[in-house]
Amino acid sequence: MPELPEVEHVKRGLSPKILGEIITGVTFSDKVTAGKAAGKQTIIKGIDLKTFEGKIIGSTIKALDRRSKYLIFTLENELHEHYIISHLGMSGAYFVVDRLEDIGVPNYINHWHVAIHLQSGKQLIYSDIRRFGELRYIERLESAAQIMAIAPEPFDDEAPAYYLDQLTAPKWQEKTIKEAIMNHSVVSGCGNIYACEALHLSRINPNHKVKRLSKAKRTELFEAIVHVLNEGIKYGGSSISSYRNVEGKEGFMQTRFNIYGRKTCGTCGGPVTAKVIATRNTHYCTHCQK
Ligand SMILES: [Zn+2]
């Protein structure tokens, strides 16, 4: 599942290709058209396809931002600014191409779902093999409840204090620390993979309840989260679950993991323990993580 570093790379890759472009049309895959006709929320959420198309045609793509694991496309027409918020789900990817075949990765050609046509003749394509991703049109950012509930970006100055404060809430005391840091009201953009790596780096056993960790240990963990997310960005994201960047390339971060997806601990060489914690497969070292 794409986490913060992967979505950051999508943003950086897309921005120079689409900013300033005017949207001239939208086409949808048969899967999306059939799903919506059957009353489902296939990819395009909360709006019918004709309305979605009508709202965005003629608008200029003014900005592209990332907030946690969401991409926010800011559109502008003569009336107002408006937005598409997109989440890549398990396997979503964006490409900017002249023709669909130019994507170059067969799975993403076959599983294209939304093609936003641009004035330059290029197309902004959203592909998604498992179809858990989404594009959601909204008039005002304040109406995007899922965005408003997110903790500050982990790199922001106010993020550490916000995180420490959230962890003092009664609802987290009996929960595992891993579950807490994967919740985006506590930490923004830290999913399963980076949570495992950060817990390993700060030598914390992911089974520990929040209440058991000292403030110093909680702070150390937050610093580790920021470190692994920065590393993830630096190495192009990780491609463990089919992530591809805008160029159709994989990231390299998975080669730098010390614990996630490994048989032996990258720190001590001992065996890695795998266990489901908070519904996600968690990897840790009982020797290094006390
Ligand atoms: Zn170890």
Side-chain angles (χ1 to χ4, degrees):
M1 181 184 286
E3 300 183 26
L4 187 155
E6 292 77 43
V7 181
E8 176 66 20
H9 270 276
V10 173
K11 187 202 94 171
R12 291 181 187 184
L14 276 185
S15 294
K17 297 177 189 288
I18 61 167
L19 294 188
E21 283 271 20
I22 296 171
I23 296 170
T24 56
V26 190
T27 45
F28 303 99
S29 69
D30 292 344
K31 276 272 188 312
V32 170
T33 306
K36 296 294 281 184
K40 294 188 200 154
Q41 294 286 322
T42 314
I43 309 279
I44 305 290
K45 306 291 183 191
I47 194 169
D48 67 83
L49 300 182
K50 266 274 163 277
T51 311
F52 180 84
E53 194 179 345
K55 291 280 188 190
I56 71 169
I57 286 180
S59 285
T60 302
I61 304 174
K62 192 182 170 196
L64 177 60
D65 296 293
R66 180 193 55 73
R67 182 75 177 91
S68 185
K69 303 177 209 171
Y70 292 91
L71 290 167
I72 304 172
F73 298 84
T74 301
L75 312 180
E76 185 182 50
N77 59 22
E78 58 280 3
L79 298 173
H80 60 174
E81 279 189 354
H82 48 166
Y83 310 88
I84 296 170
I85 295 184
S86 181
H87 190 284
L88 301 173
M90 299 294 285
S91 54
Y94 278 97
F95 305 95
V96 181
V97 289
D98 293 319
R99 297 165 309 137
L100 195 58
E101 308 82 73
D102 295 341
I103 290 174
V105 186
N107 245 346
Y108 289 95
I109 297 173
N110 298 336
H111 295 274
W112 79 275
H113 290 297
V114 183
I116 296 177
H117 302 269
L118 306 171
Q119 197 168 47
S120 65
K122 293 194 179 295
Q123 303 176 48
L124 170 61
I125 307 275
Y126 179 71
S127 299
D128 194 340
I129 295 157
R130 299 183 63 185
R131 298 197 303 277
F132 286 116
E134 63 180 60
L135 279 79
R136 188 181 291 273
Y137 173 84
I138 53 168
E139 300 275 352
R140 295 181 314 116
L141 272 186
E142 301 77 54
S143 63
Q146 69 272 51
I147 298 271
M148 292 300 132
I150 299 173
E153 286 295 300
F155 315 113
D156 289 354
D157 291 344
E158 71 269 29
Y162 186 94
Y163 152 87
L164 287 173
D165 187 53
Q166 290 292 309
L167 284 187
T168 62
K171 70 168 178 178
W172 289 118
Q173 302 317 304
E174 297 293 328
K175 298 274 172 45
T176 64
I177 185 61
K178 175 157 184 269
E179 181 174 357
I181 61 172
M182 284 175 59
N183 187 293
H184 72 190
S185 72
V186 178
V187 180
S188 159
C190 181
N192 190 45
I193 295 174
Y194 292 94
C196 289
E197 287 297 315
L199 285 159
H200 181 74
L201 183 61
S202 53
R203 299 183 155 249
I204 296 170
N205 187 307
N207 294 292
H208 285 338
K209 289 181 175 172
V210 169
K211 67 179 181 187
R212 184 173 160 177
L213 297 177
S214 67
K215 188 176 174 189
K217 210 61 198 166
R218 292 176 186 187
T219 300
E220 197 182 329
L221 174 57
F222 190 80
E223 287 165 358
I225 292 168
V226 170
H227 178 80
V228 297
L229 290 174
N230 267 323
E231 289 273 298
I233 292 172
K234 187 171 159 190
Y235 292 100
S238 59
S239 291
I240 287 215
S241 50
S242 78
Y243 159 76
R244 296 292 182 119
N245 68 18
V246 175
E247 311 297 337
K249 302 280 197 311
E250 297 186 337
F252 296 103
M253 184 60 186
Q254 66 276 10
T255 64
R256 304 190 53 87
F257 288 154
N258 281 313
I259 200 77
Y260 187 84
R262 293 179 60 116
K263 291 271 181 287
T264 57
C265 171
T267 304
C268 74
V272 169
T273 301
K275 178 184 170 186
V276 173
I277 301 175
T279 76
R280 302 298 302 277
N281 199 18
T282 306
H283 294 164
Y284 60 104
C285 172
T286 53
H287 175 73
C288 293
Q289 295 171 254
K290 298 293 186 190

